[in-house]
Amino acid sequence: MLGLKLPTDPRWANVAEKNIKEILIDHAYCEQKAASTAISLIVSFPEYTELVQAMNDLVQEEMSHFKMVHDKIIERGYTMGRDRKDYYVVELLKFFPKGGSRIDQMVHRLLYAALIEARSCERFKLLSEELQEPELKKFYKKLMISEANHYTMFLNFARKYGNTDEVNKKWNALLDYEAKIMLSFSEGESIHG
């Protein structure tokens, strides 16, 4: 369903479980960044009413997810600490050219948001299946469903506002590019890396 060209090695979940503090903290920041992306789309493209409405709902949902993850961090006696660079996103953004029309720029932003949500969904699915702790398994299963909905929403908006054939070609090229990024990462203690 997600179309990812390189699935995550299931052993990543074992690495994640051994470093659950780092995973939870990284996850909390991912939820913040997802809300920021939605706000940025509202600010940049206010004339697209349907997109603005959907992003408004998404901001609220992502911030509620942030609170849920932050509560788990607090329950375990952890603190978030400073934000870190998400090298996955940094590398992903290199795929898109600078400039172009406003529509092109919007479609690019929608596509990278779709891919980030797809990879998050895939990782959450692994966590929901492989973690030993029942509460966290259930937690990640619930979030996996949300991420799948976000992925399809972003991709559908890209196809709605852009030329569908061109969007599909760019999406497939982006999936190939993302697979190469994933190959370059070691099994890290982050949601995407």
Side-chain angles (χ1 to χ4, degrees), residues 56 62 69-70 75 80 101 126 128 132 144 161 192:
N56 184 47
E62 298 290 15
V69 179
H70 193 248
E75 285 168 15
M80 283 187 57
S101 71
L126 271 176
S128 75
Q132 298 301 311
M144 172 195 72
Y161 297 127
H192 301 121

Side-chain angles (χ1 to χ4, degrees), residues 15-29 69 72-74 76-81 84 131 133 136 140 189-191:
V15 172
E17 187 158 40
K18 290 176 183 152
N19 299 284
I20 203 66
K21 175 183 177 183
E22 295 304 315
I23 290 294
L24 287 170
I25 291 168
D26 185 62
H27 180 185
Y29 281 116
V69 179
K72 295 249 178 262
I73 290 168
I74 294 167
R76 292 164 183 265
Y78 309 146
T79 55
M80 283 187 57
R84 314 138 204 201
L131 291 177
E133 193 176 326
L136 279 181
Y140 277 106
E189 303 164 356
S190 65
I191 295 298

Side-chain angles (χ1 to χ4, degrees), residues 104-116:
D104 287 345
Q105 292 306 307
M106 178 173 60
V107 166
H108 293 169
R109 288 167 69 179
L110 292 166
L111 288 177
Y112 80 70
L115 188 48
I116 291 167

Side-chain angles (χ1 to χ4, degrees), residues 73-123:
I73 290 168
I74 294 167
E75 285 168 15
R76 292 164 183 265
Y78 309 146
T79 55
M80 283 187 57
R82 304 272 317 208
D83 187 14
R84 314 138 204 201
K85 221 174 228 188
D86 188 332
Y87 291 102
Y88 170 82
V89 173
V90 169
E91 290 302 312
L92 205 58
L93 291 174
K94 291 178 183 176
F95 175 82
F96 297 101
K98 303 280 185 217
S101 71
R102 279 187 85 235
I103 291 289
D104 287 345
Q105 292 306 307
M106 178 173 60
V107 166
H108 293 169
R109 288 167 69 179
L110 292 166
L111 288 177
Y112 80 70
L115 188 48
I116 291 167
E117 296 286 350
R119 183 58 72 182
S120 297
C121 177
E122 186 234 15
R123 292 282 173 104

